[in-house]
Amino acid sequence: MESAWRPVRVAEAIAATRGPEHRHRYFYEFGHRYHDLRERPRDTVLRDTLAALDAMTLYGAADDQVWDEAVTASHHAALDGVGEDVGTPIVRINGTGIFGPVLTTVPDTARGAAIFDAVATLIAHPEFTELKRTRTTSSDE
């Protein structure tokens, strides 16, 4: 569990020191390396991500518990919009949050935009709560 806290502490440090817009690039870089390139362990991914962003000075934030309060607040802000009985990802569109969508592969830009639009349409209706099916493919394949 501790290895999962380290990258999110750095995310909070990046947002606080460089601005929230830099957190997006950090998440993209980290996620691409971890999920798409399957780099391991997390510490290698963290170091490579920070190097790519010219932000190695923030590596120490990974072990600095001063960021835990911000991480916890961010986590609770996400859950406040959707409830406790959900997982990740949590998406917030126009102030409304929802768990999902969960995809087994990264879609191309056009399909991704279509999926986003479909999710936005669904969550605009307060009576909508859930869609789910058994996974037919694995993200590990």
Side-chain angles (χ1 to χ4, degrees):
M1 189 64 164
E2 180 61 24
S3 73
W5 272 84
R6 298 179 80 245
V8 294
R9 286 179 184 137
V10 172
E12 291 301 330
I14 285 174
T17 61
R18 295 190 170 192
E21 65 280 2
H22 290 272
R23 183 172 29 201
H24 174 76
R25 180 144 183 252
Y26 169 79
F27 280 139
Y28 175 83
E29 287 289 334
F30 188 95
H32 173 64
R33 293 168 190 285
Y34 191 82
H35 296 291
D36 299 332
L37 301 178
R38 300 193 185 282
E39 284 186 19
R40 299 293 190 274
R42 275 194 183 112
D43 192 61
T44 297
V45 180
L46 181 59
R47 287 177 184 273
D48 290 351
T49 298
L50 290 172
L53 300 175
D54 193 27
M56 282 303 292
T57 57
L58 294 174
Y59 179 75
D63 297 310
D64 190 344
Q65 293 181 356
V66 73
W67 299 106
D68 290 1
E69 186 176 330
V71 170
T72 302
S74 174
H75 177 76
H76 285 291
L79 288 178
D80 287 349
V82 293
E84 293 288 331
D85 60 339
V86 299
T88 58
I90 294 173
V91 175
R92 186 177 304 273
I93 302 171
N94 296 327
T96 301
I98 194 160
F99 160 65
V102 176
L103 306 173
T104 57
T105 60
V106 177
D108 63 41
T109 302
R111 283 182 58 104
I115 291 167
F116 178 87
D117 290 345
V119 170
T121 298
L122 288 170
I123 69 171
H125 299 280
E127 59 277 4
F128 173 75
T129 59
E130 183 174 8
L131 285 174
K132 185 161 176 108
R133 70 175 164 195
T134 299
R135 292 182 186 183
T136 55
T137 60
S138 170
S139 59
D140 293 333
E141 292 178 351

